[in-house]
Amino acid sequence: MTDSIKKEWEDLFNESSYEDRVASLADVLALQFLGLVDRKMEMERISKKQLAEKIGTSAAFITQLFRGDRKPNWNTLAKMSMELGLEFKVMTEELLQEKVQEELIAYHKRWSKTQEYLKLKEQVTNPQLVMAVSQAGEDEYAMAG
């Protein structure tokens, strides 16, 4: 979203009443969960009718959920996750950024060790004898050429 569109969206959203903002956020959350359910259903080639049968409800109810006419409750989402083999994880944006940062740091450490190994390999006359072993926290590295 461009900054101007985002600003207009936020202005429009902020003009709403508190109850309207809560309802809109609830719709977004429901659609996020149902989007994951829908993707899994497509992967497994499961129809809405089949999902309804699996969780013990009507196909009409499932259609209403996916159209956004109704919101799923926690029990419905739990049944869907169990029947489809989905494991929902809830994460705030801050936690997600923290996890991404941790992964980037871990990747950089592995990359640095690889660079050390390649530098050592270039410096010796018999590169097949080069071995680099390193331990950094929980990760262990062992490379041989």
Side-chain angles (χ1 to χ4, degrees):
M1 223 187 275
T2 65
D3 287 340
S4 64
I5 294 172
K6 187 176 180 183
K7 171 96 172 83
E8 287 179 37
W9 175 257
E10 288 172 356
D11 290 345
L12 178 66
F13 193 70
N14 288 332
E15 290 175 12
S16 304
S17 70
Y18 178 78
E19 290 78 18
D20 288 341
R21 292 193 311 261
V22 168
S24 293
L25 183 55
D27 288 341
V28 169
L29 290 170
L31 290 173
Q32 287 175 334
F33 278 100
L34 291 171
L36 297 171
V37 169
D38 190 47
R39 186 176 346 162
K40 180 68 172 191
M41 288 170 56
E42 284 180 20
M43 288 172 45
E44 301 289 328
R45 300 190 194 288
I46 295 172
S47 69
K48 289 177 176 63
K49 182 180 178 182
Q50 290 170 316
L51 177 64
E53 290 170 0
K54 286 177 176 280
I55 68 168
T57 192
S58 69
F61 177 70
I62 296 297
T63 299
Q64 290 171 346
L65 290 176
F66 281 92
R67 271 198 321 232
D69 298 336
R70 298 186 66 179
K71 292 178 193 66
N73 64 31
W74 293 115
N75 288 340
T76 301
L77 288 172
K79 289 176 184 177
M80 289 176 173
S81 75
M82 289 171 62
E83 293 299 328
L84 296 173
L86 280 171
E87 184 178 344
F88 293 121
K89 299 221 185 246
V90 179
M91 187 174 287
T92 64
E93 184 66 29
E94 291 80 16
L95 277 175
L96 178 61
Q97 291 302 322
E98 194 176 297
K99 291 285 186 192
V100 167
Q101 188 68 23
E102 288 171 6
E103 288 298 319
L104 284 171
I105 290 169
Y107 175 81
H108 180 70
K109 286 179 183 178
R110 290 189 303 273
W111 181 83
S112 296
K113 291 299 174 188
T114 301
Q115 296 308 308
E116 284 179 35
Y117 163 74
L118 293 173
K119 195 179 270 187
L120 282 173
K121 192 171 178 177
E122 288 175 3
Q123 294 174 0
V124 296
T125 56
N126 187 352
Q128 285 76 24
L129 298 179
V130 175
M131 180 180 279
V133 178
S134 174
Q135 183 173 352
E138 296 176 7
D139 298 328
E140 291 188 20
Y141 306 93
M143 295 178 262

